[in-house]
Amino acid sequence: MKNVCFVCVIHEKVKPYLKDFVDSLDHQTNDNFDFIVFNDGLNIKDLDFKFSSTRLKIINVFGSPVEIRNCMIRFLISSNYEYCVFGDADDFFEKNRIAENLRLLQTCDLVVNDVHLVDSKGQLLKENYFSKRIKNHFPITPEFLVDKNIIGLGNTAIKVKLLSEELIVSENLIAVDWQIFSRVLL
């Protein structure tokens, strides 16, 4: 599939975790994706490693988290991508993260990934954090999200056709990702 992208935001605070993040993407079982990085002010030349992906696109952005998320949504709406996997740049991923998300997106519009909580040294603190609350393949509905915030731009994959200008959010929101995905589900 050449119509797949992995999207993230990088900034100064993720710098200590960035090498592990990039390494986990470099070792995916499915490497047929574009790596789209929204760079919020990090001087990439100062890193002690290189982004190795040949399918890397860096988009320099500045602004609040809301403005940057809106920029990401607009970029994806205007793109030719069919599938988007989102991730946080201070995380690292299982080797099959992209392959498994793409497999699930064949029959689902949205995939929410479980997370393992780790400390700053990568030591496991809690495994399958969300699975303690819900079962695998649980159908997430707008009603479920009323008081649960388990969906974000760090642990999801989506069919890009679900994104629209109606998902652009206002600056005064606190739970931006929750708002975006609540609207997607509606």
Side-chain angles (χ1 to χ4, degrees):
M1 284 185 223
K2 297 182 193 263
N3 52 358
V4 178
C5 64
F6 182 96
V7 174
C8 72
V9 176
I10 62 172
H11 48 82
E12 193 64 38
K13 291 181 181 176
V14 301
K15 193 173 177 180
Y17 312 102
L18 209 47
K19 184 174 182 344
D20 288 336
F21 166 75
V22 171
D23 284 348
S24 72
L25 289 174
D26 284 345
H27 293 96
Q28 289 294 303
T29 56
N30 178 338
D31 63 356
N32 196 12
F33 62 93
D34 290 343
F35 184 15
I36 313 295
V37 175
F38 287 80
N39 181 11
D40 184 17
L42 182 64
N43 187 347
I44 293 176
K45 293 177 184 173
D46 287 345
L47 297 175
D48 59 359
F49 69 94
K50 300 276 187 233
F51 284 89
S52 59
S53 174
T54 57
R55 297 175 65 182
L56 172 68
K57 179 176 180 69
I58 297 175
I59 300 169
N60 292 312
V61 291
F62 299 98
S64 70
V66 173
E67 291 170 318
I68 293 169
R69 280 168 169 71
N70 286 339
C71 182
M72 289 169 56
I73 291 169
R74 285 187 174 110
F75 170 84
L76 289 167
I77 291 169
S78 67
S79 76
N80 291 321
Y81 294 110
E82 187 174 355
Y83 304 105
C84 178
V85 180
F86 294 103
D88 284 338
D90 59 355
D91 293 342
F92 54 94
F93 310 106
E94 298 284 344
K95 290 180 180 185
N96 68 342
R97 166 87 187 271
I98 293 186
E100 186 64 11
N101 277 267
L102 292 176
R103 184 185 72 75
L104 291 167
L105 284 170
Q106 300 310 301
T107 56
C108 302
D109 291 331
L110 173 69
V111 176
V112 178
N113 294 269
D114 204 342
V115 296
H116 301 318
L117 303 181
V118 297
D119 63 19
S120 62
K121 296 177 182 164
Q123 299 300 310
L124 183 65
L125 299 175
K126 289 189 180 186
E127 191 171 56
N128 298 318
Y129 184 70
F130 294 136
S131 292
K132 306 291 186 217
R133 296 168 53 186
I134 60 174
K135 300 289 182 212
N136 284 340
H137 305 287
F138 177 84
I140 297 172
T141 64
E143 295 77 24
F144 173 80
L145 288 183
V146 167
D147 64 352
K148 294 172 185 67
N149 187 3
I150 66 164
I151 303 176
L153 292 174
N155 70 321
T156 56
I158 193 168
K159 290 181 179 174
V160 174
K161 70 180 180 182
L162 296 178
L163 302 177
S164 70
E165 283 289 327
E166 293 153 3
L167 299 176
I168 301 302
V169 294
S170 68
E171 186 64 35
N172 60 356
L173 283 178
I174 296 171
V176 176
D177 293 5
W178 178 87
Q179 177 72 18
I180 291 169
F181 287 106
S182 294
R183 288 179 180 177
V184 165
L185 289 172
L186 287 171

